Amino acid sequence: MALLASSALTWPAQAAAVPSPPALAATPPMGFNNWNAFGCDVNETLIKETADVFVSSGLKDAGYQYVNIDDCWSLRERGPDGRLVPDPAKFPNGIKGVADYVHGKGLKLGIYGDAGTKTCAGYPGSLGHEEIDAQTWADWGVDYLKYDNCNNQSDGSQADYIRRYTAMRQALDKTGRPFVYSICEWGTSQPWTWAKGVGHLWRTTGDISDNWASLRSIIRQNAPLAAYAGPGHWNDPDMLEIGNGGMTDTEYRTHMSMWAMMAAPLIIGTDLRKATPQTLAILGNRDLIAIDQDRLGVQGAVVSDGNGLMVLDKPLANGDRAIALYNSTDSLATISVATADTGLRRAGAYRLTDVWTGRASQVRSTISAGVPAHGTVVYRVRPLRDPATVAPAVAVGAELGTVVPGPTGGGTPTSPARDGTPATTPDGSDPTGGGTLTTTVTNRGVGAIREVSVSAGVPDGWTATATTERRRARLATDATLETTWRIGVPADTPAGRYPIDVTAAYEWGPRHRPATTSSQVVAVVVTAPQDGRRHLSTIEPVTSVNATGPVEADQSNGGALENDGNLITIGGKVYPRGLGTTTGSELRYYLGGRCSGLVTDVGIDDEAAGGPVTFTVYADDTAAATSGPVAAGEAPKTLTADLTGAAWLRLVVESATAGVHADWAAPVLACGGVPDDSPILPESRTIFSFESGTEDFTIANPNDGGTVAQSPLFHTEGANGLKVSTPVAGNWFGRRLAAPLDLTGKTMLKFDLKAGEVGTVGEIAVQVGESSSWCQGGLWTWTNPGSSKTITERFEQISCPVGVTLDPSDIRAVWVFLNTGGEVLIDNIRAE
């Protein structure tokens, strides 16, 4: 969960923690936690039924043993004896009754606590109550503690984190009951440098989310920490999202693969009662689990990492090595690593077993595979004496530029460039239709393969024509057959992603055994934007290149990670829409001759120094607008570019200074001949702008405190926003509406926020229907001190009580949650 507090508190010195028994968490813990799938909707039935599924599905036999309860399990007040009290409506038999049930299944029970005055959801925390809470959990038969970090009253120092988490370690030890102790402070104080001997595992990152950007970011943060992990002390990149629906099966297999390679705890976070066979197959992969649970207890080390491709090498107790080839890019990629660059001992050949397919192959000196976009291939590798008995490893790769529907598939050509010549594209696509595919077939095995041929399987109605050699009689070790193909695409093909299967057929060994190897490349078909004026940040670019980290939509480029920027701010003006880039960036959009113009502000973000910087808008290869040199601290400049007839739009930022944070602020693209005064899509409906005052904002929980006042210090619409003085534990700020609000057609709620000196969590709730039922989001988005961002909750992410449906046409009240005891500035609460 997200960080919720940090005000100062003086602590006495604590004695060093007694090291935990090495047998406890000797391998990374495996189990379940309800938070990712259920949030606060936890109860006795869920926990018991999950334990049942552990047994019936075979997950228990695969090694999963902890069934863990997260936040919201207790009453909001302690009992008269000072102890935590389980919510009797959720746990009618108490936590001990649930523990007895779980233990009866041969499993173990986990509980949640917090090293602060309140938990992340506002229930009693354990700060100052460590001994009584630890003894209470022990008396109930709890086996595992996840200990969070919200409302922590901290001065932010590492010493304070050590004191708070060591206090609970000592309290657990005092009970005499073995507890696996999970430190959940989100990597804030670099616990990998101090928590060995205090906890058995420690979070290394912020909370995971069920999307690819989050998974990719967490892998990048956790992978370099291999030196700090080992038996009884594990890096924890957070719980598994596998099965929750926000990613593809390929991405979920990467999730499982990389957690196993990083010797990470495997804590399931989906509703196992509804898990699909595909989800259970991923979670129950015994070969991957064996890698994760290997008794040597070594986290895989990064062998290479560049251009979005990573190789990990993990030694195993029996002398094998696990080698992972991880592709974080958006395209199929061939990833290779020399055996000499891994920990494998020298040999004439090596046997590879693919842990996902079970397929065995052999290589001489290079491990290589065509890895799909967002995919990971994991091999278990050992030296091989007789390679003649094992099929050679053959790597099939492919590269495909942008694909444009056109006449090669029966359509009409796209518009030419302004000088009358055919428009060209830097990525190799043909703007008159179709695209160019390049395939490679490489033999990595000992001994030649023969009668090699390659084919490309395209969607119905498409064509694939080889324009160079696609057959070879013999392919020696490390030799490659490269083939170029012309891909034809029908003119009426919708924009989207289309698979093309590339298959190599060949014979191997003295008996000429037939074999095939396949890879799948995804053809990205682009079409021109629809009619209307649109925020460019809502249109996906065809290609995006940035010097530092990703190009960020609707925020500045904060650094190397996704979503690490602030609201775009140029010369003191704050923009909720735009593109955060750095110098050395280029974005390309396909227009197909249908768009008329782009209007945008540009400038160096106020968080940055350096420059000067030049912004240029290109219509095909013609500069349609340029800013000239722009210095740091200057007011934003407005560029207006004529794009009439252009097939492609390019946005380029250049400077002699590398990595300067440069913003395209509020860029709007007009297509289809729309009037200049037509609404900008997606249309936004302001609910509260605070231009007339506080708009009668109040607090939902009067006893928890908090005040509001109009303020000009932060505004993203108009000239004013709202200054909120928050209580440490937080409160909901908003009001009931004079009449029901009809938000039919809208899909989300947003507000803009700038945190004060101590940061804050931001969340959104609404009340709906005649009964004003409370429906609340569950993302609890954290904003760092002094930082700003847009808080967003989609209606589908907002949970209502059982039997209540969120009806966007009948909104009776809107509330936002803020906390930590500091001042927070907000503005423009809106629906989109």
Side-chain angles (χ1 to χ4, degrees), residues 572-586:
K573 184 175 181 179
V574 184
Y575 297 82
R577 290 286 191 182
L579 297 163
T581 71
T582 62
T583 50
S585 62
E586 177 176 320

PDB file of all heavy atoms in Angstrom, residues 572-586:
ATOM      1  N   GLY A 572       5.775  28.610 -14.319  1.00  0.00           N
ATOM      2  CA  GLY A 572       4.762  28.710 -13.276  1.00  0.00           C
ATOM      3  C   GLY A 572       3.368  28.302 -13.697  1.00  0.00           C
ATOM      4  O   GLY A 572       2.472  28.188 -12.855  1.00  0.00           O
ATOM      5  N   LYS A 573       3.140  28.056 -14.990  1.00  0.00           N
ATOM      6  CA  LYS A 573       1.827  27.622 -15.469  1.00  0.00           C
ATOM      7  C   LYS A 573       1.755  26.106 -15.427  1.00  0.00           C
ATOM      8  O   LYS A 573       2.620  25.421 -15.967  1.00  0.00           O
ATOM      9  CB  LYS A 573       1.575  28.129 -16.886  1.00  0.00           C
ATOM     10  CG  LYS A 573       0.180  27.796 -17.409  1.00  0.00           C
ATOM     11  CD  LYS A 573      -0.081  28.421 -18.772  1.00  0.00           C
ATOM     12  CE  LYS A 573      -1.489  28.109 -19.273  1.00  0.00           C
ATOM     13  NZ  LYS A 573      -1.774  28.729 -20.583  1.00  0.00           N
ATOM     14  N   VAL A 574       0.699  25.584 -14.806  1.00  0.00           N
ATOM     15  CA  VAL A 574       0.538  24.145 -14.620  1.00  0.00           C
ATOM     16  C   VAL A 574      -0.444  23.602 -15.651  1.00  0.00           C
ATOM     17  O   VAL A 574      -1.521  24.179 -15.859  1.00  0.00           O
ATOM     18  CB  VAL A 574       0.034  23.818 -13.204  1.00  0.00           C
ATOM     19  CG1 VAL A 574      -0.044  22.304 -13.000  1.00  0.00           C
ATOM     20  CG2 VAL A 574       0.965  24.435 -12.160  1.00  0.00           C
ATOM     21  N   TYR A 575      -0.079  22.482 -16.287  1.00  0.00           N
ATOM     22  CA  TYR A 575      -0.895  21.878 -17.331  1.00  0.00           C
ATOM     23  C   TYR A 575      -1.264  20.442 -16.942  1.00  0.00           C
ATOM     24  O   TYR A 575      -0.370  19.631 -16.690  1.00  0.00           O
ATOM     25  CB  TYR A 575      -0.125  21.805 -18.646  1.00  0.00           C
ATOM     26  CG  TYR A 575       0.282  23.118 -19.252  1.00  0.00           C
ATOM     27  CD1 TYR A 575       1.411  23.789 -18.813  1.00  0.00           C
ATOM     28  CD2 TYR A 575      -0.443  23.670 -20.304  1.00  0.00           C
ATOM     29  CE1 TYR A 575       1.812  24.986 -19.393  1.00  0.00           C
ATOM     30  CE2 TYR A 575      -0.052  24.867 -20.901  1.00  0.00           C
ATOM     31  CZ  TYR A 575       1.078  25.519 -20.426  1.00  0.00           C
ATOM     32  OH  TYR A 575       1.466  26.701 -21.019  1.00  0.00           O
ATOM     33  N   PRO A 576      -2.547  20.098 -16.916  1.00  0.00           N
ATOM     34  CA  PRO A 576      -2.917  18.704 -16.650  1.00  0.00           C
ATOM     35  C   PRO A 576      -2.801  17.806 -17.877  1.00  0.00           C
ATOM     36  O   PRO A 576      -2.917  16.587 -17.764  1.00  0.00           O
ATOM     37  CB  PRO A 576      -4.368  18.812 -16.185  1.00  0.00           C
ATOM     38  CG  PRO A 576      -4.892  20.042 -16.860  1.00  0.00           C
ATOM     39  CD  PRO A 576      -3.730  20.982 -16.952  1.00  0.00           C
ATOM     40  N   ARG A 577      -2.591  18.412 -19.064  1.00  0.00           N
ATOM     41  CA  ARG A 577      -2.444  17.625 -20.287  1.00  0.00           C
ATOM     42  C   ARG A 577      -1.120  17.977 -20.962  1.00  0.00           C
ATOM     43  O   ARG A 577      -0.684  19.144 -20.945  1.00  0.00           O
ATOM     44  CB  ARG A 577      -3.583  17.912 -21.271  1.00  0.00           C
ATOM     45  CG  ARG A 577      -4.928  17.385 -20.857  1.00  0.00           C
ATOM     46  CD  ARG A 577      -5.005  15.879 -21.008  1.00  0.00           C
ATOM     47  NE  ARG A 577      -6.378  15.381 -20.869  1.00  0.00           N
ATOM     48  CZ  ARG A 577      -6.689  14.097 -20.918  1.00  0.00           C
ATOM     49  NH1 ARG A 577      -5.734  13.185 -21.104  1.00  0.00           N
ATOM     50  NH2 ARG A 577      -7.940  13.697 -20.772  1.00  0.00           N
ATOM     51  N   GLY A 578      -0.487  16.966 -21.563  1.00  0.00           N
ATOM     52  CA  GLY A 578       0.730  17.228 -22.307  1.00  0.00           C
ATOM     53  C   GLY A 578       1.614  16.003 -22.396  1.00  0.00           C
ATOM     54  O   GLY A 578       1.228  14.892 -21.993  1.00  0.00           O
ATOM     55  N   LEU A 579       2.818  16.196 -22.927  1.00  0.00           N
ATOM     56  CA  LEU A 579       3.785  15.125 -23.110  1.00  0.00           C
ATOM     57  C   LEU A 579       5.108  15.559 -22.491  1.00  0.00           C
ATOM     58  O   LEU A 579       5.685  16.583 -22.896  1.00  0.00           O
ATOM     59  CB  LEU A 579       3.975  14.819 -24.596  1.00  0.00           C
ATOM     60  CG  LEU A 579       2.725  14.310 -25.323  1.00  0.00           C
ATOM     61  CD1 LEU A 579       2.888  14.432 -26.834  1.00  0.00           C
ATOM     62  CD2 LEU A 579       2.445  12.855 -24.935  1.00  0.00           C
ATOM     63  N   GLY A 580       5.577  14.804 -21.511  1.00  0.00           N
ATOM     64  CA  GLY A 580       6.843  15.089 -20.861  1.00  0.00           C
ATOM     65  C   GLY A 580       7.969  14.333 -21.540  1.00  0.00           C
ATOM     66  O   GLY A 580       7.973  13.097 -21.544  1.00  0.00           O
ATOM     67  N   THR A 581       8.922  15.054 -22.122  1.00  0.00           N
ATOM     68  CA  THR A 581      10.027  14.432 -22.842  1.00  0.00           C
ATOM     69  C   THR A 581      11.350  14.972 -22.316  1.00  0.00           C
ATOM     70  O   THR A 581      11.386  15.774 -21.374  1.00  0.00           O
ATOM     71  CB  THR A 581       9.933  14.706 -24.350  1.00  0.00           C
ATOM     72  OG1 THR A 581      10.220  16.082 -24.610  1.00  0.00           O
ATOM     73  CG2 THR A 581       8.548  14.371 -24.891  1.00  0.00           C
ATOM     74  N   THR A 582      12.426  14.542 -22.943  1.00  0.00           N
ATOM     75  CA  THR A 582      13.733  15.136 -22.708  1.00  0.00           C
ATOM     76  C   THR A 582      14.325  15.538 -24.054  1.00  0.00           C
ATOM     77  O   THR A 582      13.831  15.128 -25.109  1.00  0.00           O
ATOM     78  CB  THR A 582      14.695  14.147 -22.025  1.00  0.00           C
ATOM     79  OG1 THR A 582      14.903  13.028 -22.898  1.00  0.00           O
ATOM     80  CG2 THR A 582      14.134  13.672 -20.704  1.00  0.00           C
ATOM     81  N   THR A 583      15.383  16.333 -24.017  1.00  0.00           N
ATOM     82  CA  THR A 583      16.100  16.628 -25.249  1.00  0.00           C
ATOM     83  C   THR A 583      16.629  15.318 -25.829  1.00  0.00           C
ATOM     84  O   THR A 583      16.989  14.395 -25.106  1.00  0.00           O
ATOM     85  CB  THR A 583      17.248  17.600 -24.992  1.00  0.00           C
ATOM     86  OG1 THR A 583      18.037  17.128 -23.888  1.00  0.00           O
ATOM     87  CG2 THR A 583      16.720  18.981 -24.652  1.00  0.00           C
ATOM     88  N   GLY A 584      16.655  15.266 -27.169  1.00  0.00           N
ATOM     89  CA  GLY A 584      17.013  14.016 -27.837  1.00  0.00           C
ATOM     90  C   GLY A 584      15.830  13.110 -28.052  1.00  0.00           C
ATOM     91  O   GLY A 584      15.984  11.915 -28.315  1.00  0.00           O
ATOM     92  N   SER A 585      14.608  13.661 -27.969  1.00  0.00           N
ATOM     93  CA  SER A 585      13.395  12.845 -28.125  1.00  0.00           C
ATOM     94  C   SER A 585      12.761  13.047 -29.492  1.00  0.00           C
ATOM     95  O   SER A 585      12.935  14.091 -30.131  1.00  0.00           O
ATOM     96  CB  SER A 585      12.374  13.175 -27.037  1.00  0.00           C
ATOM     97  OG  SER A 585      11.959  14.524 -27.141  1.00  0.00           O
ATOM     98  N   GLU A 586      12.021  12.026 -29.937  1.00  0.00           N
ATOM     99  CA  GLU A 586      11.241  12.122 -31.161  1.00  0.00           C
ATOM    100  C   GLU A 586      10.010  11.244 -31.042  1.00  0.00           C
ATOM    101  O   GLU A 586      10.111  10.064 -30.689  1.00  0.00           O
ATOM    102  CB  GLU A 586      12.053  11.692 -32.386  1.00  0.00           C
ATOM    103  CG  GLU A 586      11.238  11.711 -33.680  1.00  0.00           C
ATOM    104  CD  GLU A 586      12.058  11.383 -34.912  1.00  0.00           C
ATOM    105  OE1 GLU A 586      13.214  11.856 -34.982  1.00  0.00           O
ATOM    106  OE2 GLU A 586      11.552  10.648 -35.795  1.00  0.00           O
TER     107      GLU A 586
END
